[in-house]
Amino acid sequence: MHAIHDSAGLWTLAWRRLRADRLAMAALAVVAAFLLLLAASASGMVAAGWEEEVALNYAPPTFAAPRAAPPPSSAPGVPDAADSAPPANEFDPLAADLRELRATLGKAVAEPAGGRAPSLPFGADKWGHDIILKTIKGGETSIVVGLAAATLAVGLGTLFGAVSGFYGGIVDDFFNWFYNVFTSIPSILMILTVAAVLQQKGVLTIVLILGLTGWTGPYRLIRAEYIKHKAREYVMAADAIGASAWRKMFSHIFPNVSHVALVQVSILVVGFIKAEVILSFLGFGVPVGVVSWGSMLNEAQSELILGKWWQLAAASSAMALLVTAFSLFADALRDALDPKVK
């Protein structure tokens, strides 16, 4: 007799496909590294002192810091800079004051007040905060917003889609009307409407704004899956043994469509991390005292005019790396969970 082997399930096959995709595993490693950094930041192990003023205002990155000027020569016959400056005259009454101001500023740069560093590995902001620590702390807020808002949006979309697709009839018509109302209004106007109703700032507010306006995509996909699965034999068998409607929806059908919800979470996280930047720019972002990548980019607008580019570069690079890795992993996960892909 031939040995009987259990056939691999959907998740086992999906994991095998993911492991065979080197790009997907590299993207997963990057996402996992960001999540570990988030946990370390939330626990205070990393970036706990990001608010400390450790450097001069707008201290440049170490690799871009200007070299210190050599001390003035005291050799005989070589005039000092102060001696070589043109004397004040009646045509330039501010010359002496300007020389004194330049000397004072030069001394302040040469000897930073309070022991604050003149430069940092990736620079400082206008308050002297370390940009690297600030980027790590900002990533904690942005990633939490993306994950929580995506979970809320997919949870609402799954609930509405399951009820609409399973019951059909008047229930389906009502949810379709509700869906059409949301999709007929431009997303930015819907976001502004929810923000105006909530009337407060904070991480919870951003999560509610994004979650309550982002459920339409998951709803459409989950509804289609429930319409397809409710006529399958295993659902009819559950109906024959007297299973309730909610048990059939969430104990029998949902495990077979859960991969759709999971992929939607991974896709929406990317969009919501970017949306947090837009909300911060519009003034509905995190409150004062809380940092995020969006608030850093908002601050960097005025800094860029002054030629201080390092905060913009740090926040943009971190966000681009995470969003790219999450997008690559979401695409690979969607292909791995598709039963039609061999």
Side-chain angles (χ1 to χ4, degrees):
M1 293 179 64
H2 295 286
I4 299 176
H5 297 280
D6 294 333
S7 60
L10 174 65
W11 295 104
T12 304
L13 291 174
W15 176 241
R16 290 176 183 173
R17 291 169 181 163
L18 277 177
R19 284 191 304 176
D21 190 342
R22 294 184 178 179
L23 184 60
M25 296 307 294
L28 179 59
V30 173
V31 173
F34 270 95
L35 293 178
L36 289 176
L37 200 60
L38 181 152
S41 176
S43 63
M45 297 174 60
V46 177
W50 74 271
E51 290 184 293
E52 297 178 4
E53 299 178 1
V54 296
L56 297 176
N57 301 343
Y58 295 126
T62 303
F63 58 86
R67 294 183 179 180
S73 173
S74 59
V78 180
D80 290 341
D83 298 332
S84 60
N89 52 51
E90 63 274 15
F91 300 103
D92 190 5
L94 298 178
D97 295 334
L98 288 175
R99 283 200 305 274
E100 184 179 354
L101 180 60
R102 291 192 188 99
T104 303
L105 290 176
K107 184 178 180 181
V109 172
E111 300 176 0
R116 294 161 67 179
S119 66
L120 291 174
F122 213 86
D125 62 6
K126 60 182 177 181
W127 292 285
H129 302 155
D130 191 334
I131 290 295
I132 294 179
L133 299 183
K134 190 175 181 180
T135 303
I136 294 173
K137 195 65 179 180
E140 175 190 336
T141 303
S142 296
I143 296 173
V144 167
V145 166
L147 290 174
T151 303
L152 176 60
V154 173
L156 290 175
T158 299
L159 177 62
F160 295 163
V163 173
S164 176
F166 186 82
Y167 284 105
I170 297 177
V171 176
D172 189 32
D173 292 340
F174 170 77
F175 279 105
N176 282 333
W177 169 81
F178 195 47
Y179 165 81
N180 289 328
V181 169
F182 263 76
T183 54
S184 63
I185 302 174
S187 58
I188 188 64
L189 293 181
M190 184 62 69
I191 288 174
L192 293 176
T193 300
V194 176
V197 171
L198 294 176
Q199 287 289 330
Q200 60 180 349
K201 290 185 177 182
V203 174
L204 179 60
T205 301
I206 301 176
V207 170
L208 290 176
I209 290 173
L210 297 176
L212 294 176
T213 58
W215 59 269
T216 53
Y219 162 80
R220 185 180 65 252
L221 296 176
I222 295 295
R223 172 181 173 272
E225 291 292 326
Y226 268 79
I227 292 175
K228 180 175 65 177
H229 279 266
K230 71 177 182 179
R232 297 284 175 87
E233 290 79 3
Y234 71 91
V235 179
M236 295 181 181
D239 185 51
I241 62 175
S244 64
W246 286 91
R247 184 173 180 83
K248 285 182 285 186
M249 279 192 289
F250 296 105
S251 295
H252 296 277
I253 299 180
F254 181 71
N256 293 283
V257 302
S258 58
H259 62 282
V260 178
L262 182 61
V263 170
Q264 284 298 299
V265 169
S266 61
I267 293 174
L268 288 179
V269 166
V270 175
F272 287 162
I273 289 177
K274 293 186 289 186
E276 186 270 328
V277 176
I278 299 175
L279 287 175
S280 295
F281 178 78
L282 294 175
F284 298 107
V286 294
V288 177
V290 179
V291 64
S292 69
W293 289 339
S295 65
M296 290 178 66
L297 293 176
N298 196 19
E299 291 177 13
Q301 294 179 90
S302 57
E303 296 177 358
L304 196 59
I305 300 176
L306 302 175
K308 317 299 183 183
W309 50 265
W310 35 92
Q311 181 164 208
L312 175 66
S316 301
S317 301
M319 187 176 68
L321 180 61
L322 177 62
V323 166
T324 302
F326 232 123
S327 299
L328 293 173
F329 176 69
D331 290 340
L333 182 63
R334 180 174 53 199
D335 294 339
L337 291 173
D338 189 348
K340 296 185 292 294
V341 178
K342 294 183 181 180

